[in-house]
Amino acid sequence: MRAVVVEASREVAVTEVPEPVPGPGQALVDIEAIGVGYVDVMSRRGDDPHFPGVGSVLGLEVVGRVRAGSGVPEELAGKRVLAQPCSGGYAERVAVDVDRLLPVPDGADPVEVVGLGLNALVAEGALHRARVAPGDRVLVRGASGGIGVLATQIAHARGAEVTAVTSSPEKAERLRTLGAAEVVDRTRSGRPGGTYDVVVDTVAGPRVREHLELLRPNGRYVLCGGVGGVPGPDAFEPLLRDFHKSTALLTFSLNSVMPEERRRSWERVVALFADGGLSAVLDRSFPLADAAVALQRVESGQSFGKVVLLQG
Ligand SMILES: NC(=O)c1ccc[n+]([C@@H]2O[C@H](COP(=O)([O-])OP(=O)(O)OC[C@H]3O[C@@H](n4cnc5c(N)ncnc54)[C@H](OP(=O)(O)O)[C@@H]3O)[C@@H](O)[C@H]2O)c1
């Protein structure tokens, strides 16, 4: 079958690879739509320690149909699922642990579902962890990104007042339509004004410190990504200096979420989606053969929302 492999040069190439063989507790999924995220860019570059490395197939999230087979629970056979393999999703088929399959509502469009996908679980999980409540002021860094557009919508749907940090007037306008009450252009005004109950940060990098300083008493800062790089050595000093504010620094990675909690989080995402409180924000779709172009689009920061690969 065809798959997108990371080569020694750290470029990607569409290559013929052996069919995956599901092991015990795994299902074979016929892939329809593939999510492309910044984490794939990091895997290509060699910056994601979880990716198996050169010669491996990229891809952590797909929507597709489960093939019947020994070990596949009856209720999953032939069903459409959101699958989260540990790698191997940029392909025609992938073998996935059964406990990493989430049910897709009947009639839902596979591209929309992959548009929610892993990013919705990160956004929902991070906000859940920060105990976002109605009336909270929430700041989202990296708001136009795959995770950010969903965090903006979910926080808004939960009754929070959302400030989105982004980088252009066009992105700002779109974020307002997704529920942001306020938008800050990081390229112009520098630092957001005001104070916040929750900061959802998918960027990290050298500006963590100044955003930590925006927390209100009892505020929660959730670090869940790092497109801006590693924070400086004194980034977390405000936590100690402002000890009297009882602020909390939380980190959130989907890798540490147990299957049962993933399922509950997915149910909350699907319920919001069904109610119209959440929509997939789709950037562009590319055929699998154009995976390098799709990765370049994500890496360049030009995308708004989810980049998707399709078979064909
Ligand atoms: N926690 C988890 O479980 C988990 C799971 C998957 C991915 N991740 C990580 O989460 C991060 C975000 O992923 P994503 O898919 O949302 O990325 P993305 O789609 O590339 O979006 C990131 C956004 O960050 C902003 N940005 C980019 N470079 C920046 C910089 N130097 N300084 C400030 N802002 C910058 C851009 O938004 P604006 O132009 O609007 O500012 C960009 O759209 C990545 O580090 C990824 O590895 C975490």
Side-chain angles (χ1 to χ4, degrees):
M1 67 166 189
R2 285 177 325 140
V4 178
V5 171
V6 177
E7 299 187 308
S9 63
R10 289 286 171 187
E11 296 304 319
V12 294
V14 179
T15 312
E16 277 297 318
V17 300
E19 287 286 336
V21 180
Q26 289 195 315
L28 190 62
V29 177
D30 284 318
I31 298 170
E32 297 169 297
I34 302 156
V36 181
Y38 199 84
V39 66
D40 301 329
V41 173
M42 293 170 70
S43 300
R44 177 183 64 68
R45 288 186 194 148
D47 294 339
D48 178 6
H50 299 289
F51 184 66
V54 167
S56 303
V57 177
L58 288 173
L60 300 177
E61 62 176 335
V62 303
V63 170
R65 282 201 187 271
V66 176
R67 282 204 190 176
S70 62
V72 175
E74 210 171 295
E75 69 274 12
L76 282 177
K79 287 282 175 349
R80 186 172 273 151
V81 291
L82 170 67
Q84 295 155 40
C86 297
S87 64
Y90 284 26
E92 293 180 79
R93 281 168 289 285
V94 65
V96 188
D97 292 350
V98 166
D99 65 9
R100 295 176 72 93
L101 304 177
L102 295 165
V104 169
D106 287 342
D109 176 354
V111 175
E112 290 213 344
V113 175
V114 93
L116 295 173
L118 208 112
N119 288 338
L121 289 172
V122 177
E124 203 282 331
L127 289 163
H128 192 71
R129 185 148 209 188
R131 294 178 283 103
V132 166
D136 276 355
R137 274 175 59 83
V138 175
L139 183 76
V140 180
R141 293 189 74 202
S144 73
I147 295 170
V149 291
L150 295 163
T152 299
Q153 291 183 78
I154 295 171
H156 172 66
R158 294 220 179 132
E161 189 185 319
V162 181
T163 298
V165 183
T166 189
S167 59
S168 74
E170 296 74 30
K171 288 179 173 182
E173 206 35 57
R174 294 190 67 184
L175 285 161
R176 282 198 185 87
T177 67
L178 295 175
E182 231 183 292
V183 182
V184 175
D185 187 332
R186 65 180 162 93
T187 64
R188 292 183 177 202
S189 55
R191 145 185 183 145
T195 55
Y196 299 90
D197 300 292
V198 172
V199 177
V200 178
D201 187 354
T202 69
V203 176
R207 297 183 68 183
V208 165
R209 183 190 172 107
E210 65 191 82
H211 289 90
L212 254 179
E213 286 174 335
L214 302 178
L215 283 180
R216 291 175 164 181
N218 302 305
R220 290 84 70 199
Y221 195 104
V222 201
L223 204 46
C224 57
V227 290
V230 178
D234 65 349
F236 305 111
E237 193 262 340
L239 285 172
L240 293 175
R241 191 197 59 210
D242 298 334
F243 188 72
H244 59 281
K245 287 185 5 186
S246 305
T247 54
L249 174 67
L250 306 162
T251 56
F252 179 82
S253 169
L254 211 47
N255 290 321
S256 61
V257 179
M258 295 295 115
E260 192 45 46
E261 177 49 26
R262 257 179 211 236
R263 265 191 291 279
R264 281 196 292 267
S265 178
W266 181 241
E267 280 165 16
R268 293 191 291 266
V269 167
V270 168
L272 265 185
F273 182 59
D275 278 1
L278 179 63
S279 58
V281 181
L282 300 167
D283 179 66
R284 278 169 61 178
S285 301
F286 297 89
L288 186 61
D290 288 344
V293 185
L295 286 163
Q296 168 56 29
R297 182 156 177 84
V298 171
E299 190 170 16
S300 71
Q302 289 170 336
S303 52
F304 185 98
K306 191 75 174 193
V307 173
V308 176
L309 291 172
L310 299 170
Q311 302 295 346

